[in-house]
Amino acid sequence: AAAIGHVERAVRAELRALKCSVQTDGSAALAVSLARQIDGSRGAVAAAAAAAQLRQLLADLRADAAYKRPEQDVIDDLNARRAAKRAG
């Protein structure tokens, strides 16, 4: 396997921060694929086209993560309260 390029590395780090799995989220997998294309691109036009798609895809993933986060916070709060009750 080829070494991971700087764009792919950055995208993978952002996906981890957003808790997006490339194994279960098609958009996350596509983001990594686009990043790989940018890293391996020889032409500016191809890189620019992939970069535009990647930028929009990451914006969509960030928006999805922000939308899902409040629900997760409520669940985390409930679990913390239950654990505190059990602890006494």
Side-chain angles (χ1 to χ4, degrees):
I4 294 178
H6 67 281
V7 176
E8 182 179 349
R9 185 173 289 112
V11 166
R12 285 182 180 275
E14 183 161 356
L15 292 173
R16 274 192 300 277
L18 295 172
K19 296 180 175 31
C20 293
S21 168
V22 296
Q23 304 298 321
T24 58
D25 187 322
S27 294
L30 180 57
V32 170
S33 178
L34 287 167
R36 203 173 286 144
Q37 286 179 33
I38 294 166
D39 283 332
S41 180
R42 299 270 185 258
V45 174
Q53 288 179 318
L54 179 58
R55 186 179 58 75
Q56 184 59 56
L57 194 53
L58 289 173
D60 292 346
L61 286 166
R62 283 185 213 109
D64 287 348
Y67 177 76
K68 291 174 187 171
R69 195 171 301 121
E71 180 180 311
Q72 191 60 44
D73 288 345
V74 170
I75 293 168
D76 290 342
D77 289 345
L78 285 172
N79 287 334
R81 276 189 241 148
R82 285 183 188 141
K85 278 184 182 178
R86 281 193 301 267

